[in-house]
């Protein structure tokens, strides 16, 4: 007999079509063709398109929080002293996935959620 082996990867931006093709593989198994299939990996390729919006929203949230703290302390928020962006976390859209200090990049879930943390320091003005 013969043993022929071939590996291939399917990459497509048409996720529905790729998933449909993967569902057809069992028909090959029914024809006595041995197939080893890995779980699909879903890459989020649009991070560059949303980075600025994520950073802007996170910075605005940091300022709002600082304003609330200053107000509760009977102070006024001063100028921005320092601001740093943290790592981006790409996690499953649902669930309670753990964040990583080096960033997360979920590959197993088709639907994703992107997050970033901004650390901002402000000067405080006494009233």
């Amino acid at each position: 007999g013969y043993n022929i082996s071939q590996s291939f990867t399917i990459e497509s931006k048409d996720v529905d079509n790729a998933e449909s093709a993967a569902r057809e593989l069992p028909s090959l198994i029914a024809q006595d063709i041995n197939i080893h299939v890995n779980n699909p990996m879903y890459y989020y390729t649009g991070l560059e398109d949303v980075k600025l919006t994520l950073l802007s929203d996170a910075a605005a949230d940091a300022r709002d929080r600082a304003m609330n703290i200053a107000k509760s302390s009977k102070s006024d928020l001063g100028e921005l002293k320092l601001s740093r962006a943290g790592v981006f976390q790409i996690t499953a859209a649902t669930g309670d996935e753990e964040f990583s200090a080096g960033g997360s990049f979920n590959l197993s879930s088709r639907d994703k959620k992107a997050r970033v943390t901004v650390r901002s320091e402000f000067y405080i003005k006494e009233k």
Side-chain angles (χ1 to χ4, degrees):
Y2 294 94
N3 183 8
I4 299 173
S5 175
Q6 169 112 25
S7 296
F8 65 93
T9 301
I10 298 172
E11 291 184 24
S12 175
K13 290 185 179 190
D14 184 351
V15 177
D16 290 331
N17 197 23
E19 285 180 341
S20 176
R23 284 191 292 273
E24 296 298 321
L25 293 175
S27 66
L28 294 175
I29 294 171
Q31 298 174 34
D32 276 343
I33 299 174
N34 276 337
I35 295 179
H36 174 75
V37 180
N38 293 321
N39 290 331
M41 293 188 292
Y42 299 94
Y43 290 89
Y44 182 71
T45 57
L47 185 58
E48 289 302 317
D49 297 335
V50 298
K51 260 185 185 177
L52 292 178
T53 301
L54 286 172
L55 287 169
S56 177
D57 290 349
D61 183 58
R63 182 171 183 77
D64 289 345
R65 290 171 186 254
M67 285 176 67
N68 284 336
I69 292 169
K71 183 179 177 181
S72 297
S73 303
K74 298 188 186 336
S75 301
D76 289 326
L77 193 64
E79 292 182 16
L80 178 65
K81 178 180 176 182
L82 172 74
S83 190
R84 291 190 182 123
V87 294
F88 285 87
Q89 307 283 345
I90 309 298
T91 59
T94 59
D96 56 353
E97 213 169 321
E98 294 288 323
F99 291 145
S100 166
S104 296
F105 196 79
N106 176 291
L107 296 176
S108 61
S109 178
R110 180 176 175 173
D111 296 318
K112 312 243 185 252
K113 187 183 320 182
R115 295 181 181 164
V116 66
T117 301
V118 170
R119 177 185 172 179
S120 298
E121 295 179 19
F122 295 88
Y123 290 101
I124 299 294
K125 296 186 246 179
E126 291 187 33
K127 286 188 175 186

